[in-house]
């Protein structure tokens, strides 16, 4: 495995340089990015409240929100489109990526955004127990991507390799967020950090929501090749009950937010 990973890292770096879009720096853009594993809006008190999760998102005043663990029209939540409910309550645009067929409907990840997306696509991520997804959403100034990685450590490494390859092809600044199910020192995160800037946050722990001890939720930027220069991160933190009263009970994870400023890209006219 280690030999294969070294080979992949070398080949990925070479391929990224070859495939990197021809761009040059433009003016600056700023966004507040958020990530939240909402567990279908079922809290630690076992009550389901779309309003509670929507209020946390609204309180955060985020521009784009990556969301994990979303049912759509399943018998588990009869007649409910969880992401659609949150979109209606927050007034944001929804983008859904189903990972599996489940209980008569779909289960997967999604995104809410103030700006209407230009495009989106789902990339399947292999997993020996439950298939996962990478959702790539294009906006005017960047791509924001969402994922929820496997509980299996080897699968996480495989999926990170796919993520690195996919984001190396994008022609705008690219950010990714989600529940990676991995601590910062695990193999998948070490591999990811060779190609991405993993934004440091305080406090780092996001799980469990009532008394967080584990850091498994992240916001990152692809920075392996030029012009993928690192964004300026002014404020990146786990949302505390002092900011939004329900974060300790509304889900089993706490949400994270990051204020980022980055250079827009413009296509180069050089031959």
């Amino acid at each position: 495995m280690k030999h294969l990973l070294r080979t992949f890292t070398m080949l990925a770096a070479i391929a990224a340089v070859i495939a990197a879009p021809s761009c040059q720096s433009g003016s600056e853009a700023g966004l507040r990015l958020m990530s939240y594993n909402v567990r279908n809006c079922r809290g630690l008190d076992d009550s389901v409240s779309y309003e509670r999760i929507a209020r946390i998102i609204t309180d955060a005043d985020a521009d784009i929100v990556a969301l994990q663990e979303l049912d759509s029209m399943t018998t588990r939540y009869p007649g409910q489109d969880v992401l659609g409910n949150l979109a209606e309550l927050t007034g944001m645009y929804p983008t859904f990526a189903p990972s599996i067929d489940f209980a008569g409907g779909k289960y997967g990840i999604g995104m809410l955004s103030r700006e209407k997306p230009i495009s989106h696509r789902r990339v399947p991520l292999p997993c020996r127990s439950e298939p996962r997804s990478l959702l790539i959403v294009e906006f005017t100034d960047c791509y924001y991507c969402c994922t929820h990685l496997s509980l299996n450590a080897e699968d996480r490494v495989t999926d990170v390799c796919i993520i690195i390859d996919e984001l190396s092809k994008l022609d705008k600044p690219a950010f990714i967020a989600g529940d990676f199910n991995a601590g910062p020192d695990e193999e998948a995160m070490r591999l990811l950090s060779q190609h991405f800037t993993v934004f440091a946050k305080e406090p780092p722990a996001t799980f469990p929501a009532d008394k967080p001890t584990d850091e498994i939720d992240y916001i990152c930027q692809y920075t392996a090749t030029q012009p993928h220069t690192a964004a300026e991160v002014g404020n990146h933190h786990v949302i505390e009950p002092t900011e939004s009263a329900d974060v300790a009970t509304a889900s089993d994870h706490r949400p994270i937010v990051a204020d980022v400023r980055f250079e827009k890209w413009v296509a180069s006219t050089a031959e």
Side-chain angles (χ1 to χ4, degrees), residues 54-250:
R55 188 163 53 248
I56 292 169
I57 292 171
T58 301
D59 287 346
D61 196 29
D63 295 297
I64 321 175
V65 188
L67 298 166
Q68 304 87 49
E69 296 197 18
L70 301 167
D71 273 30
S72 178
M73 310 307 289
T74 66
T75 56
R76 179 164 59 180
Y77 297 90
Q80 300 297 317
D81 175 2
V82 174
L83 183 62
N85 291 343
L86 293 174
E88 183 175 352
L89 289 166
T90 60
M92 302 176 83
Y93 290 100
T95 305
F96 181 61
S99 296
I100 59 171
D101 295 326
F102 179 77
K106 304 288 185 181
Y107 173 79
I109 58 178
M111 201 169 289
L112 294 173
S113 58
R114 296 184 189 274
E115 177 189 340
K116 185 177 181 179
I118 296 171
S119 67
H120 73 276
R121 64 186 177 94
R122 171 189 170 270
V123 178
L125 300 178
C127 175
R128 63 198 67 196
S129 57
E130 176 188 293
R132 304 292 173 120
S133 297
L134 167 66
L135 172 61
I136 302 174
V137 184
E138 180 185 5
F139 298 98
T140 301
D141 297 323
C142 72
Y143 290 89
Y144 195 37
C145 308
C146 176
T147 195
H148 183 193
L149 296 185
S150 172
L151 293 171
N152 180 277
E154 288 189 16
D155 289 340
R156 290 196 293 271
V157 171
T158 300
D159 293 345
V160 163
C161 291
I162 295 172
I163 289 169
I164 292 168
D165 181 60
E166 290 293 336
L167 269 67
S168 73
K169 304 170 186 175
L170 301 181
D171 58 356
K172 298 176 185 178
F175 302 87
I176 185 170
D179 175 2
F180 286 39
N181 275 315
D185 296 325
E186 292 187 31
E187 189 170 10
M189 293 305 299
R190 291 199 303 270
L191 175 60
L192 189 84
S193 65
Q194 295 176 30
H195 300 263
F196 288 75
T197 298
V198 181
F199 298 150
K201 57 186 175 294
E202 284 297 334
T206 56
F207 180 86
D210 54 349
K211 295 180 180 179
T213 56
D214 300 331
E215 182 180 14
I216 56 176
D217 299 272
Y218 304 89
I219 300 175
C220 317
Q221 181 189 9
Y222 180 80
T223 51
T225 56
Q226 293 298 322
H228 306 73
T229 53
E232 177 185 335
V233 184
N235 178 23
H236 182 25
H237 68 282
V238 180
I239 295 178
E240 299 286 348
T242 53
E243 300 172 79
S244 195
D246 295 319
V247 294
T249 56

